[in-house]
Amino acid sequence: MNRLPALLAALALLLAGCADARSGTLGPAPRAAAPGTATAPVTAPTAPSGTPTGVPGPTATRSTGPVTPPRTPTPSPAGTGSVTVQLWFARAGVVVPTRRTRPATVATSRLALAELAAGPTSAEAAAGLATLVPAGVEMVRIAEGTATVAPPESFADTDARTLRLRRAQVVWTLTQFPTVRRVAFAGSGVVLARTDLADLLAPIVVTEPAIGQRVAGPVTVAGTADVYEATVSIRILDGSGRVVGTGFTTATCGSGCRGDYRGGVAYRLATAGPGTVEVYEVSPRDGSRTHVVAVPVLLAATG
């Protein structure tokens, strides 16, 4: 019985220790590691497979705006001391391109306007090309993508369709230059870009070869087209109208939009002479040739 107080005291101490163990502590506040002390890297939780991470990926886009007719190539030197520019003349109610090579000048836009007024060569005239642009259209300035021209007073003295074709010749010719996106006609308040006059292009436009150009096989044929399934057909005829080569290529867009096309067509011809490059669309209804563009050329012999 004398040991009972000691046992009770021991039991009280044991119960107190168990209570401390159950309550625990938060421990000391964390301290930054001393310089040079290695610390374990913090690893972000890994997202489950297929879970978005918040970083957007590429998305497909679709153009909904109008298709802009492609710009023509920048005028480039054709040889030492010369420059080649593209001119747009009128034919059968539309504008069509041809080329001129002239002595080099820094005033290429003025050169182009002068050549428009001078009109087509005899070969171009025989192919139906004409100019509606009178002499006296002056280049005023080119600033912020706009070329301002000052036409003579008689420029607008014609019917509305002829005036539109006349302006289209100027606009399509001047916008070949990389610094020009639109043309302002001084005194009229009219400012036009190629897209404003796209309806004055034929379904098939041939920019290469040019009328009267000497070519050798394979003949490079290029331009723009809005044709069925983007298919552009080509044939080469000799001076008697005999087919000496055929081929086709596809435009970058078609069936309701205009796209670029380029292709090479081989031919066989024993003797050099005049010929014709015909570019056309095959009708999906009856297989006939439609929208034919005939370009008279000089064919080299193929041996």
Side-chain angles (χ1 to χ4, degrees):
M1 296 297 293
N2 293 336
R3 288 183 288 181
L4 181 58
L7 289 174
L8 292 174
L11 179 60
L13 290 173
L14 178 61
L15 291 173
C18 290
D20 290 342
R22 283 194 302 269
S23 64
T25 65
L26 293 176
R31 293 178 297 177
T37 304
T39 58
V42 177
T43 305
T46 302
S49 176
T51 302
T53 61
V55 180
T59 57
T61 59
R62 177 179 296 176
S63 175
T64 57
V67 176
T68 303
R71 294 179 68 89
T72 50
T74 302
S76 57
T80 303
S82 63
V83 64
T84 297
V85 295
Q86 190 176 75
L87 306 176
W88 289 77
F89 289 126
R91 180 173 64 189
V94 297
V95 288
V96 295
T98 188
R99 294 197 298 264
R100 289 286 184 279
T101 299
R102 293 291 183 260
T105 174
V106 294
T108 51
S109 57
R110 290 185 172 86
L111 169 66
L113 288 174
E115 291 295 331
L116 277 184
T121 64
S122 57
E124 292 165 348
L129 274 64
T131 188
L132 303 174
V133 177
V137 180
E138 298 292 337
M139 174 61 65
V140 178
R141 63 181 176 275
I142 298 175
E144 297 181 352
T146 299
T148 301
V149 299
E153 292 184 3
S154 61
F155 190 88
D157 294 342
T158 185
D159 61 274
R161 180 161 181 81
T162 300
L163 177 58
R164 195 159 182 265
L165 276 168
R166 180 174 289 171
R167 285 171 171 161
Q169 280 190 248
V170 175
V171 171
W172 279 84
T173 296
L174 291 183
T175 51
Q176 72 184 284
F177 303 109
T179 55
V180 180
R181 297 189 299 275
R182 65 192 74 85
V183 177
F185 294 84
S188 67
V190 175
V191 181
L192 296 169
R194 285 191 170 191
T195 50
D196 301 315
L197 302 162
D199 59 302
L200 294 180
L201 296 179
I204 297 175
V205 173
V206 180
T207 57
E208 190 175 355
I211 293 173
Q213 182 179 338
R214 181 179 179 84
V215 298
V219 180
T220 297
V221 183
T224 69
D226 177 359
V227 291
Y228 179 69
E229 292 187 343
T231 302
V232 180
S233 298
I234 306 162
R235 66 178 191 168
I236 300 175
L237 291 70
D238 66 10
S240 65
R242 180 174 61 95
V243 178
V244 293
T246 61
F248 74 92
T249 185
T250 54
T252 55
C253 194
S255 296
C257 60
R258 181 171 295 273
D260 297 325
Y261 69 85
R262 174 176 290 270
V265 181
Y267 68 90
R268 295 183 63 84
L269 189 66
T271 306
T276 303
V277 175
E278 282 190 350
V279 188
Y280 57 95
E281 174 189 22
V282 176
S283 170
R285 292 187 296 273
D286 56 15
S288 61
R289 292 182 296 112
T290 62
H291 307 308
V292 179
V293 179
V295 182
V297 294
L298 298 175
L299 296 172
T302 58

